[in-house]
Coordinates of all heavy atoms in Angstrom, one line a residue:
M274 N -5.5 13.5 -1.5 CA -6.5 13.9 -0.6 C -6.5 13.0 0.6 O -6.3 11.8 0.5 CB -7.9 13.7 -1.4 CG -9.1 14.1 -0.5 SD -10.5 13.9 -1.5 CE -11.5 15.0 -0.7
S275 N -6.6 13.6 1.8 CA -6.6 12.9 3.0 C -7.8 12.1 3.3 O -9.0 12.5 2.9 CB -6.4 13.9 4.2 OG -5.1 14.5 4.1
Q276 N -7.6 10.9 3.9 CA -8.7 10.2 4.4 C -9.1 10.7 5.8 O -8.2 11.0 6.5 CB -8.4 8.7 4.5 CG -8.0 8.1 3.1 CD -7.4 6.6 3.4 OE1 -7.1 6.3 4.5 NE2 -7.3 5.9 2.3
V277 N -10.3 10.7 6.1 CA -10.8 11.1 7.4 C -11.4 9.8 8.1 O -12.3 9.2 7.6 CB -11.8 12.2 7.4 CG1 -12.3 12.5 8.8 CG2 -11.3 13.4 6.7
F278 N -10.7 9.4 9.2 CA -11.2 8.2 9.9 C -12.0 8.6 11.1 O -11.7 9.6 11.8 CB -9.9 7.4 10.5 CG -9.0 6.9 9.4 CD1 -7.7 7.1 9.6 CD2 -9.5 6.3 8.3 CE1 -6.8 6.6 8.6 CE2 -8.6 5.8 7.3 CZ -7.3 6.0 7.5
S279 N -13.1 7.8 11.3 CA -13.8 8.0 12.6 C -13.0 7.5 13.8 O -12.0 6.8 13.5 CB -15.1 7.2 12.6 OG -14.8 5.8 12.6
E280 N -13.4 7.8 15.0 CA -12.6 7.4 16.2 C -12.5 5.9 16.2 O -11.5 5.3 16.5 CB -13.2 7.9 17.4 CG -12.5 7.6 18.7 CD -11.0 8.1 18.7 OE1 -10.8 9.2 18.1 OE2 -10.2 7.5 19.4
E281 N -13.7 5.2 15.9 CA -13.7 3.7 15.9 C -12.8 3.1 14.8 O -12.0 2.2 15.1 CB -15.2 3.2 15.6 CG -15.2 1.7 15.6 CD -16.6 1.3 15.4 OE1 -17.6 2.1 15.1 OE2 -16.8 0.0 15.4
T282 N -12.8 3.7 13.6 CA -11.9 3.3 12.6 C -10.4 3.4 13.0 O -9.6 2.6 12.7 CB -12.2 4.0 11.2 OG1 -13.6 3.7 10.9 CG2 -11.3 3.5 10.1
H283 N -10.1 4.6 13.6 CA -8.8 4.9 14.0 C -8.3 3.8 15.1 O -7.2 3.3 14.9 CB -8.7 6.3 14.6 CG -7.4 6.6 15.2 ND1 -6.2 6.8 14.5 CD2 -7.0 6.8 16.5 CE1 -5.2 7.0 15.3 NE2 -5.7 7.0 16.5
R284 N -9.2 3.5 16.0 CA -8.8 2.5 17.1 C -8.6 1.1 16.4 O -7.7 0.4 16.8 CB -9.9 2.4 18.1 CG -10.0 3.7 19.0 CD -8.8 3.8 19.9 NE -8.6 5.2 20.2 CZ -7.4 5.8 20.4 NH1 -6.4 5.1 20.3 NH2 -7.3 7.1 20.6
N285 N -9.5 0.8 15.5 CA -9.4 -0.5 14.8 C -8.1 -0.6 14.0 O -7.4 -1.6 14.0 CB -10.6 -0.8 13.9 CG -11.8 -1.1 14.7 OD1 -11.8 -1.5 15.8 ND2 -13.0 -0.8 14.0
M286 N -7.7 0.5 13.4 CA -6.5 0.6 12.6 C -5.3 0.4 13.5 O -4.4 -0.4 13.2 CB -6.4 1.9 11.9 CG -5.2 2.1 11.0 SD -5.3 1.2 9.4 CE -6.4 2.2 8.6
L287 N -5.3 1.1 14.6 CA -4.2 1.0 15.6 C -4.1 -0.5 16.1 O -2.9 -0.9 16.3 CB -4.4 1.9 16.8 CG -4.2 3.4 16.6 CD1 -4.4 4.2 17.9 CD2 -2.8 3.7 16.0
A288 N -5.2 -1.1 16.3 CA -5.2 -2.5 16.8 C -4.5 -3.5 15.8 O -3.9 -4.4 16.2 CB -6.6 -2.9 17.2
R289 N -4.7 -3.2 14.5 CA -4.1 -4.0 13.5 C -2.7 -3.8 13.2 O -2.0 -4.6 12.6 CB -4.9 -3.9 12.2 CG -6.3 -4.6 12.3 CD -7.0 -4.7 11.0 NE -7.1 -3.4 10.3 CZ -8.1 -2.6 10.3 NH1 -9.1 -2.9 11.1 NH2 -8.1 -1.5 9.6
I290 N -2.2 -2.6 13.5 CA -0.8 -2.2 13.1 C 0.3 -3.2 13.6 O 1.1 -3.6 12.8 CB -0.5 -0.7 13.5 CG1 -1.3 0.2 12.5 CG2 1.0 -0.4 13.5 CD1 -1.2 1.6 12.9
P291 N 0.3 -3.6 14.9 CA 1.3 -4.5 15.3 C 1.3 -5.8 14.5 O 2.4 -6.3 14.1 CB 0.9 -4.8 16.8 CG 0.2 -3.6 17.2 CD -0.6 -3.2 16.0
H292 N 0.2 -6.4 14.2 CA 0.1 -7.6 13.4 C 0.6 -7.4 12.0 O 1.3 -8.1 11.4 CB -1.4 -8.1 13.3 CG -1.5 -9.2 12.4 ND1 -1.1 -10.5 12.7 CD2 -2.1 -9.3 11.1 CE1 -1.4 -11.3 11.7 NE2 -2.0 -10.6 10.8
C293 N 0.3 -6.2 11.4 CA 0.6 -5.9 10.0 C 2.1 -5.5 9.8 O 2.7 -5.7 8.8 CB -0.3 -4.8 9.4 SG -2.0 -5.3 9.2
T294 N 2.6 -4.9 10.9 CA 4.0 -4.3 10.8 C 5.0 -5.1 11.6 O 6.2 -4.9 11.3 CB 4.0 -2.8 11.2 OG1 3.8 -2.8 12.6 CG2 3.0 -2.0 10.4
G295 N 4.6 -5.8 12.5 CA 5.6 -6.5 13.4 C 6.1 -5.7 14.5 O 7.0 -6.1 15.2
R296 N 5.6 -4.4 14.7 CA 6.1 -3.5 15.7 C 4.9 -3.0 16.5 O 3.8 -2.7 15.9 CB 6.8 -2.3 15.1 CG 8.2 -2.7 14.5 CD 8.8 -1.5 13.8 NE 9.1 -0.5 14.8 CZ 9.7 0.7 14.4 NH1 10.0 0.9 13.2 NH2 10.0 1.6 15.3
E297 N 5.0 -2.8 17.8 CA 4.0 -2.2 18.6 C 3.8 -0.7 18.3 O 4.8 0.0 17.9 CB 4.3 -2.5 20.0 CG 4.4 -3.9 20.5 CD 3.0 -4.6 20.3 OE1 2.0 -3.9 20.6 OE2 3.0 -5.8 19.9
I298 N 2.7 -0.2 18.7 CA 2.4 1.2 18.5 C 3.4 2.0 19.3 O 3.9 3.1 18.8 CB 0.9 1.5 19.0 CG1 -0.1 0.9 18.1 CG2 0.7 3.0 19.0 CD1 0.0 1.3 16.6
A299 N 3.8 1.7 20.5 CA 4.7 2.4 21.3 C 6.1 2.5 20.5 O 6.7 3.6 20.6 CB 5.0 1.8 22.7
D300 N 6.5 1.5 19.8 CA 7.7 1.5 19.0 C 7.5 2.6 17.9 O 8.5 3.4 17.6 CB 8.0 0.2 18.4 CG 8.4 -0.9 19.5 OD1 8.9 -0.4 20.6 OD2 8.3 -2.0 19.2
W301 N 6.4 2.6 17.2 CA 6.2 3.5 16.2 C 6.1 4.9 16.7 O 6.7 5.8 16.0 CB 4.9 3.2 15.4 CG 5.0 2.0 14.5 CD1 4.4 0.8 14.6 CD2 5.8 1.9 13.3 NE1 4.7 0.0 13.6 CE2 5.6 0.6 12.8 CE3 6.7 2.8 12.7 CZ2 6.3 0.2 11.7 CZ3 7.4 2.3 11.6 CH2 7.2 1.0 11.1
L302 N 5.5 5.2 17.8 CA 5.5 6.5 18.4 C 6.9 7.0 18.7 O 7.2 8.2 18.5 CB 4.5 6.5 19.6 CG 3.1 6.2 19.3 CD1 2.3 6.2 20.6 CD2 2.4 7.2 18.2
R303 N 7.7 6.2 19.2 CA 9.1 6.5 19.5 C 9.8 6.9 18.3 O 10.6 7.8 18.2 CB 9.8 5.4 20.3 CG 9.7 5.5 21.8 CD 10.7 4.5 22.5 NE 10.5 3.1 22.1 CZ 9.6 2.4 22.7 NH1 8.7 2.8 23.6 NH2 9.5 1.1 22.3
T304 N 9.6 6.1 17.2 CA 10.2 6.4 15.9 C 9.8 7.7 15.4 O 10.7 8.5 14.9 CB 9.8 5.3 14.9 OG1 10.3 4.0 15.3 CG2 10.3 5.6 13.5
V305 N 8.5 8.1 15.5 CA 8.1 9.4 15.1 C 8.7 10.5 16.0 O 9.1 11.5 15.4 CB 6.5 9.5 15.1 CG1 6.0 10.9 14.8 CG2 5.9 8.5 14.2
E306 N 8.7 10.3 17.2 CA 9.3 11.2 18.2 C 10.8 11.5 17.8 O 11.2 12.7 17.9 CB 9.2 10.7 19.6 CG 9.8 11.7 20.7 CD 8.9 12.9 20.8 OE1 7.7 12.8 20.6 OE2 9.5 14.0 21.3
E307 N 11.5 10.5 17.4 CA 12.9 10.7 17.1 C 13.1 11.1 15.7 O 14.3 11.3 15.3 CB 13.6 9.3 17.4 CG 13.6 9.0 18.9 CD 14.0 7.5 19.1 OE1 14.3 6.8 18.2 OE2 14.1 7.2 20.3
G308 N 12.1 11.0 14.9 CA 12.2 11.3 13.4 C 12.3 12.8 13.2 O 12.3 13.7 14.1
P309 N 12.2 13.2 11.9 CA 12.3 14.6 11.5 C 11.1 15.4 11.9 O 10.0 14.9 12.0 CB 12.5 14.6 10.0 CG 11.9 13.3 9.6 CD 12.1 12.3 10.8
A310 N 11.3 16.7 12.3 CA 10.2 17.6 12.6 C 9.5 18.0 11.3 O 10.1 18.9 10.6 CB 10.7 18.7 13.4
L311 N 8.4 17.5 11.0 CA 7.7 17.8 9.7 C 6.2 18.0 10.0 O 5.7 17.8 11.1 CB 7.8 16.6 8.8 CG 9.2 16.1 8.4 CD1 9.1 14.7 7.7 CD2 9.9 17.1 7.5
R312 N 5.5 18.5 9.0 CA 4.1 18.7 9.1 C 3.4 17.3 9.0 O 4.0 16.3 8.6 CB 3.6 19.6 8.1 CG 4.1 21.1 8.3 CD 3.6 22.0 7.2 NE 3.7 21.3 5.9 CZ 3.5 21.9 4.8 NH1 3.1 23.2 4.7 NH2 3.6 21.3 3.6
F313 N 2.1 17.2 9.3 CA 1.4 16.0 9.4 C 1.6 15.1 8.1 O 2.0 14.0 8.2 CB -0.1 16.2 9.6 CG -0.9 15.0 9.8 CD1 -1.1 14.5 11.1 CD2 -1.5 14.4 8.8 CE1 -1.8 13.3 11.3 CE2 -2.2 13.2 9.0 CZ -2.4 12.7 10.2
E314 N 1.2 15.7 7.0 CA 1.3 14.9 5.8 C 2.7 14.5 5.4 O 3.0 13.5 4.8 CB 0.6 15.5 4.6 CG -0.9 15.5 4.7 CD -1.5 14.1 4.6 OE1 -0.9 13.1 4.0 OE2 -2.6 13.8 5.2
E315 N 3.6 15.4 5.7 CA 5.0 15.1 5.5 C 5.5 14.0 6.4 O 6.3 13.1 5.9 CB 5.9 16.3 5.7 CG 5.7 17.4 4.7 CD 6.3 18.7 5.1 OE1 6.5 19.0 6.2 OE2 6.7 19.5 4.1
K316 N 5.1 13.9 7.6 CA 5.4 12.8 8.5 C 4.8 11.5 8.0 O 5.5 10.5 8.0 CB 4.9 13.0 9.9 CG 5.7 14.1 10.7 CD 5.0 14.2 12.1 CE 5.6 15.4 12.8 NZ 5.0 15.6 14.2
V317 N 3.6 11.6 7.5 CA 2.9 10.3 6.9 C 3.8 9.9 5.7 O 4.1 8.7 5.6 CB 1.5 10.7 6.5 CG1 0.9 9.5 5.7 CG2 0.6 10.9 7.7
S318 N 4.2 10.8 4.9 CA 5.0 10.4 3.7 C 6.3 9.8 4.1 O 6.8 8.9 3.5 CB 5.1 11.7 2.8 OG 5.7 11.3 1.6
W319 N 6.9 10.4 5.1 CA 8.2 10.0 5.6 C 8.1 8.5 6.1 O 8.9 7.7 5.7 CB 8.7 10.9 6.7 CG 9.9 10.4 7.5 CD1 11.2 10.3 7.0 CD2 9.9 9.8 8.8 NE1 12.0 9.7 8.0 CE2 11.2 9.4 9.1 CE3 8.9 9.7 9.7 CZ2 11.6 8.9 10.3 CZ3 9.3 9.1 11.0 CH2 10.6 8.7 11.2
L320 N 7.1 8.3 7.0 CA 6.9 6.9 7.5 C 6.6 5.9 6.3 O 7.2 4.8 6.3 CB 5.7 6.8 8.4 CG 5.9 7.1 9.9 CD1 4.6 6.9 10.7 CD2 7.0 6.3 10.5
R321 N 5.8 6.3 5.4 CA 5.5 5.4 4.2 C 6.7 5.0 3.5 O 7.0 3.9 3.2 CB 4.5 6.1 3.3 CG 3.1 6.2 3.9 CD 2.2 6.8 2.9 NE 2.0 5.8 1.8 CZ 1.7 6.2 0.6 NH1 1.6 7.4 0.2 NH2 1.5 5.3 -0.4
H322 N 7.6 6.0 3.2 CA 8.7 5.8 2.4 C 9.9 5.1 3.1 O 10.6 4.3 2.6 CB 9.2 7.1 1.7 CG 8.1 7.5 0.6 ND1 6.9 7.0 0.5 CD2 8.2 8.5 -0.2 CE1 6.3 7.6 -0.4 NE2 7.0 8.6 -0.8
E323 N 10.1 5.6 4.3 CA 11.2 5.1 5.2 C 11.0 3.7 5.6 O 11.9 2.9 5.8 CB 11.4 6.0 6.4 CG 12.6 5.8 7.2 CD 14.0 6.2 6.4 OE1 13.9 7.0 5.5 OE2 15.0 5.6 6.8
Y324 N 9.7 3.4 6.0 CA 9.4 2.1 6.6 C 8.4 1.2 5.7 O 8.0 0.2 6.2 CB 8.8 2.3 8.0 CG 9.8 2.9 8.9 CD1 9.8 4.3 9.1 CD2 10.9 2.2 9.5 CE1 10.8 4.9 9.9 CE2 11.8 2.8 10.3 CZ 11.8 4.2 10.5 OH 12.7 4.8 11.3
D325 N 8.1 1.6 4.5 CA 7.2 0.9 3.6 C 5.9 0.5 4.2 O 5.5 -0.5 4.1 CB 8.0 -0.4 3.2 CG 7.4 -0.9 1.9 OD1 6.9 -0.2 1.1 OD2 7.4 -2.2 1.7
L326 N 5.3 1.6 4.8 CA 4.0 1.4 5.5 C 2.9 1.8 4.5 O 3.1 2.6 3.6 CB 3.9 2.3 6.7 CG 4.7 1.9 7.9 CD1 4.5 2.9 9.0 CD2 4.4 0.5 8.4
A327 N 1.7 1.2 4.6 CA 0.6 1.6 3.9 C 0.1 3.0 4.4 O 0.4 3.4 5.5 CB -0.6 0.6 4.1
Y328 N -0.5 3.7 3.5 CA -0.9 5.1 3.8 C -1.8 5.1 5.1 O -1.5 5.9 6.0 CB -1.7 5.7 2.6 CG -2.2 7.1 3.0 CD1 -1.3 8.2 2.9 CD2 -3.5 7.3 3.3 CE1 -1.8 9.5 3.3 CE2 -4.0 8.5 3.6 CZ -3.1 9.7 3.6 OH -3.6 10.9 3.9
G329 N -2.8 4.2 5.2 CA -3.6 4.3 6.4 C -2.9 4.0 7.7 O -3.3 4.6 8.7
H330 N -2.0 3.1 7.6 CA -1.2 2.8 8.8 C -0.3 3.9 9.2 O -0.3 4.3 10.4 CB -0.3 1.5 8.6 CG -1.1 0.3 8.5 ND1 -0.7 -0.8 7.8 CD2 -2.3 -0.1 9.0 CE1 -1.5 -1.8 7.8 NE2 -2.5 -1.4 8.5
A331 N 0.3 4.5 8.3 CA 1.2 5.7 8.5 C 0.4 6.9 9.1 O 0.7 7.5 10.1 CB 1.9 6.1 7.3
K332 N -0.8 7.1 8.5 CA -1.7 8.2 8.9 C -2.2 7.9 10.3 O -2.2 8.8 11.2 CB -2.8 8.4 8.0 CG -3.7 9.5 8.4 CD -4.7 9.8 7.3 CE -5.6 11.0 7.8 NZ -6.5 11.4 6.9
A333 N -2.6 6.7 10.6 CA -3.0 6.4 12.0 C -2.0 6.6 13.0 O -2.2 7.1 14.1 CB -3.6 4.9 12.0
I334 N -0.7 6.2 12.7 CA 0.4 6.3 13.6 C 0.7 7.8 13.9 O 0.8 8.2 15.1 CB 1.7 5.7 13.1 CG1 1.5 4.1 13.1 CG2 2.9 6.1 13.9 CD1 2.6 3.4 12.3
I335 N 0.7 8.6 12.9 CA 0.9 10.1 13.0 C -0.2 10.7 13.8 O 0.0 11.6 14.7 CB 1.2 10.8 11.7 CG1 2.4 10.2 11.0 CG2 1.4 12.3 11.9 CD1 3.7 10.2 11.8
H336 N -1.5 10.4 13.5 CA -2.6 10.9 14.2 C -2.6 10.6 15.7 O -2.8 11.4 16.5 CB -3.9 10.3 13.5 CG -5.1 10.9 14.2 ND1 -5.5 12.2 14.1 CD2 -6.2 10.3 14.8 CE1 -6.6 12.4 14.7 NE2 -7.1 11.2 15.2
E337 N -2.2 9.3 16.0 CA -2.1 8.9 17.4 C -1.0 9.7 18.1 O -1.1 10.1 19.2 CB -1.9 7.4 17.5 CG -1.9 6.9 18.9 CD -3.2 7.0 19.6 OE1 -4.3 7.1 18.9 OE2 -3.2 6.8 20.9
Y338 N 0.1 9.8 17.4 CA 1.2 10.6 18.0 C 0.8 12.0 18.3 O 1.0 12.5 19.4 CB 2.4 10.6 17.0 CG 3.5 11.6 17.4 CD1 4.4 11.1 18.3 CD2 3.6 12.8 16.9 CE1 5.5 12.0 18.7 CE2 4.6 13.7 17.3 CZ 5.5 13.2 18.2 OH 6.6 14.1 18.6
D339 N 0.0 12.7 17.4 CA -0.4 14.0 17.6 C -1.4 14.1 18.8 O -1.4 15.0 19.5 CB -1.0 14.6 16.3 CG 0.0 15.0 15.3 OD1 1.3 15.0 15.6 OD2 -0.4 15.3 14.2
L340 N -2.3 13.1 18.8 CA -3.3 13.0 19.9 C -2.6 12.9 21.3 O -2.9 13.7 22.2 CB -4.2 11.9 19.8 CG -5.3 12.0 18.6 CD1 -6.0 10.6 18.5 CD2 -6.3 13.1 18.9
R341 N -1.6 12.0 21.4 CA -0.9 11.9 22.6 C -0.1 13.1 23.0 O 0.0 13.5 24.2 CB -0.1 10.6 22.6 CG -0.9 9.4 22.5 CD -0.1 8.1 22.6 NE -0.9 6.9 22.4 CZ -0.5 5.7 22.7 NH1 0.7 5.5 23.2 NH2 -1.3 4.7 22.5
R342 N 0.5 13.7 22.0 CA 1.4 14.9 22.2 C 0.5 16.1 22.8 O 0.8 16.7 23.6 CB 2.1 15.3 20.9 CG 3.1 16.4 21.2 CD 3.7 16.8 19.9 NE 2.7 17.1 18.9 CZ 3.0 17.8 17.8 NH1 4.2 18.2 17.5 NH2 2.0 18.1 17.0
A343 N -0.7 16.2 22.1 CA -1.7 17.2 22.6 C -2.2 16.9 24.0 O -2.3 17.8 24.8 CB -2.8 17.3 21.6
A344 N -2.4 15.7 24.3 CA -2.8 15.3 25.7 C -1.8 15.6 26.7 O -2.1 16.0 27.8 CB -3.2 13.8 25.7
R345 N -0.5 15.4 26.4 CA 0.6 15.7 27.3 C 0.7 17.2 27.6 O 1.0 17.7 28.7 CB 1.9 15.3 26.7 CG 2.2 13.8 26.8 CD 3.6 13.4 26.5 NE 4.2 14.0 25.3 CZ 4.3 13.3 24.2 NH1 3.9 12.1 24.1 NH2 4.8 14.0 23.1
K346 N 0.3 18.1 26.6 CA 0.4 19.5 26.8 C -0.7 20.0 27.7 O -0.6 21.0 28.3 CB 0.3 20.2 25.4 CG 1.6 20.1 24.6 CD 1.4 20.9 23.3 CE 2.7 20.7 22.5 NZ 2.6 21.5 21.2
L347 N -1.8 19.2 27.7 CA -2.9 19.6 28.6 C -2.7 19.3 30.1 O -3.3 19.9 30.9 CB -4.2 18.9 28.1 CG -4.7 19.4 26.8 CD1 -6.0 18.5 26.4 CD2 -5.1 20.9 26.8
L348 N -1.7 18.4 30.4 CA -1.5 18.1 31.7 C -0.7 19.1 32.5 O 0.0 19.9 32.1 CB -0.8 16.7 31.8 CG -1.6 15.6 31.2 CD1 -0.7 14.3 31.3 CD2 -2.9 15.3 32.0

């Protein structure tokens, strides 16, 4: 079952990811961009298994990737 994060929780999670993973959000977003074309939960699972991330961190990265991708389409 998916967790649903508030906007504040999502921002807090993103702020902690560099400390917890040793990589900046921009690096993770590039990794997702270059990774396999999968659906949301499949991308989360891929990040978790490929990079040994916690579920919440992987979900926050994929959610942020989707938000930024959607914003680019609006421009």
